[in-house]
Amino acid sequence: MTDFAHTPPGLMISAPSSGTGKTTVMLGLLRALSDEGIAVQPYKSGPDYIDPAFHRAASGRNSFNVDTWAMGPQLLGAVAAQSRDADICIAEGSMGLYDGVATRGQSGFGSSAETAIQMGWPVVLVVDVSGQAQSAAATALGFQAYRKDLPFAGVILNRVASPRHERLARLGMEQAGIKVMGALPRRGDLVLPERHLGLIQAVEHPDLDAAIAGYADFLRAHVDLDALRSAARSKKGRACEGSLPRAPAGRIALAQDAAFSFTYPHQLEGWRAAGAEILPFSPLADEAPDPSADLVWLPGGYPELHAGRLAAATRFRDGLIRHAQTRPVHGECGGYMALGAALIDKDGTAHEMAGLLGLVTSYEKRKFHLGYRRVELLTAMPGREVGAKLLGHEFHYSTILEQPDAPLARVADADCATVPETGSFRGHVTGTFFHLITAQEATQ
């Protein structure tokens, strides 16, 4: 069990399943509290790398992932420490409250319930009551009782059809002894646009700030914000000594634009804390990486949506090739694809990529890849030695057509079953389909 000290009280915004409206509640709550002058530290339970950017837009603070499968006690302690100057922590769950994987990772199975228990954050369950009334209380009661050690604050009723519907749903919750902290009327405009990996990126939303301001007004009108603040708690105890991931180089040229944006905030914060200088550049703007960089890092993103522009970005490609002649280049998922020979879009058009690796990927032949990854490096990659054991997450729809280079690692899923997406390397260039979360912590 991880102990935390000097952390503010918090809440976990979760739900029985995906699609119940918890992101709307999360963003509205972050903005509503921030508008009151409250320093709100957002978190995301699980390996999501899109939602934290929305959290930052709503709160003005970096949002960090809390992942009980991938993160050991030391990293969980370091992530918890990012809230020390905040007044309250608000975390958004992933999928349903108890959803995780079947095989234990470093601290647990990766569910939002585990995160709430580890951090001591009471759960606020967002319950979609459409198509039911008093029966919704049975759902909430089951979620409250499923684990006796789960801190549980109450529920927010969502998609309420009418005042009568609300009265009936509240009556059921009252009879079950469950506190109702708000009731949100059904509104068709409270939906963020999505694409195949979930939400579109925050930078792509046509008017994100106005949308979040609207969510905040909606919550202020229909949710008891004072009751939510009063319900917040956290686990107290001795501080867990730990640090964020170390920097893989001193000067890191980091691709950052709409094609390459999937970086975990705890990684970047760890790099900065270690004294690394991050040098952002935009491949989509045909910018070359800084020639003084020690390392070029291409994160994941949506290169398949911009493959034509990337293929035409000659300054970017020439600068990348020059750098790779003497210094390391690493790509994750979309960045890995961009380092390959070609990327075939959903229409079957092949686009030439950097050609630093022989990888050819296709979105015409879509195959869903999702899940945690256990990794043992067969060769070194930036910041990690041969034999290093790493933990990450893979989430994409591309299909490998050619992967002729030497494998970078032995890779398995959460249940230790081997997967064929090994990553690859050639010279100073490495790439992986998994997004690195952290290294495996030494056992005590």
Side-chain angles (χ1 to χ4, degrees):
M1 184 67 69
T2 303
D3 293 320
F4 304 101
H6 314 300
T7 57
L11 294 170
M12 169 65 73
I13 308 300
S14 190
S17 65
S18 298
T20 57
K22 62 179 178 287
T23 298
T24 298
V25 172
M26 176 71 177
L27 297 180
L29 183 57
L30 289 176
R31 177 60 62 85
L33 294 178
S34 298
D35 285 348
E36 294 181 11
I38 298 167
V40 187
Q41 176 58 58
Y43 286 99
K44 174 67 181 185
S45 181
D48 188 288
Y49 32 70
I50 296 178
D51 286 349
F54 284 89
H55 297 171
R56 178 182 173 86
S59 68
R61 291 175 66 104
N62 281 332
S63 176
F64 295 91
N65 299 80
V66 184
D67 192 321
T68 59
W69 187 87
M71 296 178 174
Q74 294 183 27
L75 182 53
L76 286 174
V79 168
Q82 304 306 307
S83 67
R84 282 179 174 163
D85 62 341
D87 300 315
I88 191 171
C89 299
I90 306 292
E92 180 179 359
S94 57
M95 301 184 294
L97 176 61
Y98 291 104
D99 295 326
V101 295
T103 303
R104 183 181 175 86
Q106 292 215 83
S107 301
F109 297 87
S111 72
S112 300
E114 284 179 326
T115 298
I117 292 166
Q118 290 249 13
M119 308 297 277
W121 296 332
V123 170
V124 177
L125 198 70
V126 180
V127 181
D128 181 354
V129 297
S130 56
Q132 58 183 334
Q134 292 100 319
S135 294
T139 297
L141 187 62
F143 273 82
Q144 180 188 42
Y146 187 76
R147 281 194 63 161
K148 300 299 184 185
D149 55 346
L150 178 77
F152 194 89
V155 300
I156 293 175
L157 309 177
N158 195 23
R159 299 170 184 149
V160 177
S162 66
R164 178 178 178 274
H165 186 199
E166 179 181 339
R167 286 195 301 272
L168 292 172
R170 283 183 178 271
L171 177 62
M173 295 295 175
E174 180 182 333
Q175 291 173 339
I178 294 173
K179 183 176 180 62
V180 176
M181 312 184 92
L184 303 176
R186 182 183 299 155
R187 276 178 54 178
D189 61 334
L190 292 176
V191 178
L192 287 165
E194 297 187 8
R195 64 162 59 96
H196 54 271
L197 295 188
L199 296 177
I200 66 166
Q201 299 173 91
V203 296
E204 298 175 291
H205 194 287
D207 199 353
L208 181 59
D209 192 69
I212 293 174
Y215 301 159
D217 289 341
F218 190 52
L219 257 69
R220 275 189 285 262
H222 300 288
V223 172
D224 189 341
L225 297 180
D226 289 336
L228 287 173
R229 289 187 62 189
S230 297
R233 300 285 187 275
S234 67
K235 183 168 290 183
K236 300 298 182 183
R238 64 177 178 82
C240 178
E241 295 182 4
S243 59
L244 298 173
R246 64 180 185 268
R251 292 171 60 80
I252 305 170
L254 179 68
Q256 285 189 323
D257 56 28
F260 304 100
S261 66
F262 295 164
T263 49
Y264 289 119
H266 72 276
Q267 292 277 10
L268 297 184
E269 190 64 27
W271 294 359
R272 293 189 184 100
E277 185 177 0
I278 297 176
L279 310 167
F281 71 100
S282 171
L284 284 183
D286 200 9
E287 295 175 356
D290 191 308
S292 70
D294 303 311
L295 164 66
V296 176
W297 191 283
L298 303 181
Y302 292 111
E304 71 274 16
L305 301 180
H306 310 278
R309 288 177 63 186
L310 291 173
T314 55
R315 284 192 296 271
F316 158 63
R317 186 163 61 238
D318 291 346
L320 198 64
I321 292 170
R322 281 195 301 271
H323 182 98
Q325 290 172 357
T326 57
R327 288 158 293 169
V329 175
H330 182 72
E332 288 189 334
C333 199
Y336 181 32
M337 299 177 208
L339 294 175
L343 190 159
I344 300 170
D345 65 23
K346 63 182 178 63
D347 298 320
T349 302
H351 301 274
E352 183 182 1
M353 294 289 105
L356 292 171
L357 295 169
L359 180 72
V360 177
T361 48
S362 173
Y363 280 83
E364 184 183 25
K365 301 177 179 180
R366 287 163 56 95
K367 182 179 179 182
F368 189 33
H369 302 264
L370 170 67
Y372 287 116
R373 297 293 181 255
R374 302 176 187 266
V375 179
E376 182 178 358
L377 290 181
L378 298 173
T379 190
M381 61 173 272
R384 305 293 175 180
E385 301 300 323
V386 177
K389 294 184 178 180
L390 311 175
L391 298 162
H393 188 263
E394 186 174 342
F395 191 4
H396 63 94
Y397 281 87
S398 61
T399 298
I400 297 173
L401 300 185
E402 299 178 30
Q403 187 174 274
D405 300 303
L408 179 71
R410 281 189 286 267
V411 183
D413 65 14
D415 298 322
C416 302
T418 299
V419 298
E421 292 77 26
T422 61
S424 55
F425 75 95
R426 180 194 295 175
H428 297 286
V429 182
T430 56
T432 67
F433 271 110
F434 66 85
H435 299 256
L436 175 65
I437 298 176
T438 188
Q440 185 171 304
E441 292 183 11
T443 56
Q444 299 296 318

